[in-house]
Amino acid sequence: MTAPAPAWPGTPLDDPAAPPGTGTPDHDFDHDHDHDDGLAERLTAAVEAADAPDAVFAVSRHGRRTLRAGGTAPTPERPREDLRYETGSASKTYTGLLLAGLIGSGTLTGGEPAAACLDPGRPVEADPVTLAHLITHTAGLPALPPGFRARALPAWRTNPYGRFPADRVVDAFLRHRPRHRPGTRWHYSNYGVAVLGHALSAVTATPWETLLDRHVLRPFGLAGTGLRPAGPDTDAVGHTKDGRTPVPAFDAGGFPAAGAVRATPHDLLTFLEAHLDPDGSPAAGALRAVRVPVLRRGLGHRHVHTVAWFRHPTDGGPLYFHSGATLGQQAFLGFRPDTGTALAAVCTRRFRVHDPFIATAYALLADD
C-alpha cells in the first residue's frame, strides 16, 4: 500500500493560485546512465511540472545519483544544482538528528524540562514541557508564539520571522502556559522546535549555528549547507506565487532550529544517503534512532512520526519524509530504506493552493 501525498503549506498566508506555466530543463547530471530505467525522464517531467523559476529534482539509488535542473527563469550563471536552497521546515530533520545524537552520547536524556534549560533557577512544574515534547510537537504549544502575528504584520510578506528574534521566542515560552498537558496531544509547532533549539544551545552553552555545525554539518561533510544567506552567487532567489517577483532571502529570526537550513541539492542527497546507510557513519546511532517511531496518532494510528521524520507505509517498508516552505521557496526530503532511494527536491516559487511540487516529489519517492 502506498500512502497518499501530503500537502504542507508551510507559509503564513494563502492567496489564490497563480496561472500555470511550463518549466524548461537546462541541465542533466548522472553518475551512471545505465541504472536509469526512465528515472531521468520522470525527473525532467517533475522539473517541468513544478512550474517554478528554478527547480531541482535529485535522486540517489544505492549511492548512484541522477539529477535534473531547470525552470521558467533564464539559466543562472552558476548551475542551479550548485546553488543553496531554503528548506524551511525540512530543517527540523537536522534538529531532530542533532537531538538524537546528544541523547545517544549521554549528553542529554530528552526528558529535561525546557524551561529549566533556558532558566536554570526556575522551579520545575508538575508536568513540564520537555525537550522530547518539543521535537515531537506534543508540548501543547501553538504553531507560533503569542504576539507573533502583531509584530510580524508590517513585514508579513517579506520578513515576518525576522521581526521575532530569539529573546522574544524564549520570553514568550517562559511566560506561556501550554494549551494542553504536555504529551497528550499533537499540534505542529514551529514555535516549539524553535524553543528546542534555544534550549539545546543554553544547556550546552553553545550557539545554535556552532552546535549544528559541530554535530551534523562537519561530520557529514556538508560544506554546501548553512543557516545564513550569502548572496545570489551562492543562494537561489525565491519568488512569490506569480513565479516572477523575487523575494528577499529568508530570515528565520528566532526560529533557526525550525527552518533556517539552506543547502545545495548535492548536500541534501549526502544528508539523506547517510540515513539510508548508517553503518560506518560517525552518527550511526543517531541515524538509526531517527527511524524509530515515537508517536502514532489519528484514526487507526495511521500517522506515524519519528523524532525527525513523518513515516508512511509502502508495500516494501516505511518511507520517511519531510517538506518545508519559506516565503519564496519549497523543499521536499525523503528516503526509503527498502529501495535504497533518497530524494531531494527544491524549487523557487512560493507554495500555492493545489501546487504540484510536493505531491510530485512524494510520488517519485513512493514509486517502486
Side-chain angles (χ1 to χ4, degrees):
M1 180 179 82
T2 300
W8 308 107
T11 51
L13 274 172
D14 286 325
D15 294 332
T22 344
T24 305
D26 62 16
H27 186 76
D28 297 342
F29 179 93
D30 292 289
H31 276 314
D32 184 346
H33 290 275
D34 295 333
H35 79 286
D36 194 283
D37 290 333
L39 176 61
E41 288 76 13
R42 294 198 297 275
L43 295 184
T44 297
V47 168
E48 293 174 350
D51 185 28
D54 312 282
V56 182
F57 281 75
V59 168
S60 172
R61 283 186 173 167
H62 303 293
R64 297 172 298 185
R65 295 182 176 185
T66 304
L67 180 150
R68 291 295 180 268
T72 59
T75 302
E77 194 168 311
R78 186 170 185 177
R80 286 180 167 104
E81 68 272 14
D82 293 337
L83 294 170
R84 300 190 309 178
Y85 294 81
E86 299 165 359
T87 66
S89 282
S91 303
K92 295 177 179 68
T93 62
Y94 294 74
T95 300
L97 183 64
L98 170 58
L99 177 60
L102 292 173
I103 292 172
S105 68
T107 304
L108 297 170
T109 67
E112 291 82 0
C117 295
L118 294 163
D119 183 6
R122 187 185 187 90
V124 177
E125 299 175 358
D127 290 305
V129 171
T130 67
L131 304 183
H133 291 141
L134 293 169
I135 194 61
T136 56
H137 304 283
T138 59
L141 298 176
L144 296 167
F148 177 89
R149 294 182 184 278
R151 186 167 181 83
L153 191 59
W156 194 252
R157 293 182 179 274
T158 56
N159 187 28
Y161 286 88
R163 293 180 62 87
F164 213 89
D167 59 344
R168 287 185 174 270
V169 173
V170 171
D171 183 64
F173 174 71
L174 294 177
R175 292 173 179 270
H176 185 64
R177 292 294 172 267
R179 294 176 174 178
H180 314 289
R181 183 165 61 85
T184 61
R185 299 191 188 186
W186 186 90
H187 183 76
Y188 190 83
S189 177
N190 285 323
Y191 174 27
V193 180
V195 170
L196 171 64
H198 298 307
L200 294 179
S201 293
V203 78
T204 60
T206 308
W208 177 252
E209 197 161 2
T210 303
L211 203 58
L212 188 68
D213 183 65
R214 181 180 298 166
H215 292 277
V216 180
L217 305 189
R218 273 190 284 167
F220 289 92
L222 303 179
T225 304
L227 301 180
R228 303 173 189 277
D233 292 337
T234 300
D235 297 280
V237 176
H239 295 76
T240 60
K241 294 180 181 183
D242 66 14
R244 297 181 297 272
T245 308
V247 298
F250 180 60
D251 179 354
F255 297 75
V261 169
R262 55 185 65 238
T264 65
H266 290 293
D267 261 26
L268 294 174
L269 278 186
T270 298
F271 177 68
L272 293 168
E273 286 167 344
H275 288 74
L276 285 172
D277 186 16
D279 293 340
S281 167
L287 289 166
R288 294 189 188 98
V290 298
R291 287 194 193 182
V292 178
V294 296
L295 174 68
R296 299 176 189 273
R297 64 180 180 88
L299 185 64
H301 288 171
R302 62 178 180 168
H303 297 293
V304 181
H305 304 260
T306 80
V307 297
W309 301 95
F310 296 93
R311 186 180 187 264
H312 280 181
T314 71
D315 289 339
L319 173 157
Y320 301 83
F321 70 96
H322 209 302
S323 60
T326 60
L327 293 173
Q329 300 191 36
Q330 299 179 64
F332 178 94
L333 307 182
F335 64 97
R336 283 186 63 174
D338 66 311
T339 61
T341 302
L343 183 144
V346 290
C347 78
T348 58
R349 184 172 186 167
R350 183 173 174 170
F351 177 86
R352 302 158 285 164
V353 176
H354 308 305
D355 193 300
F357 175 76
I358 297 298
T360 299
Y362 184 94
L364 281 166
L365 184 62
D367 184 7
D368 291 330

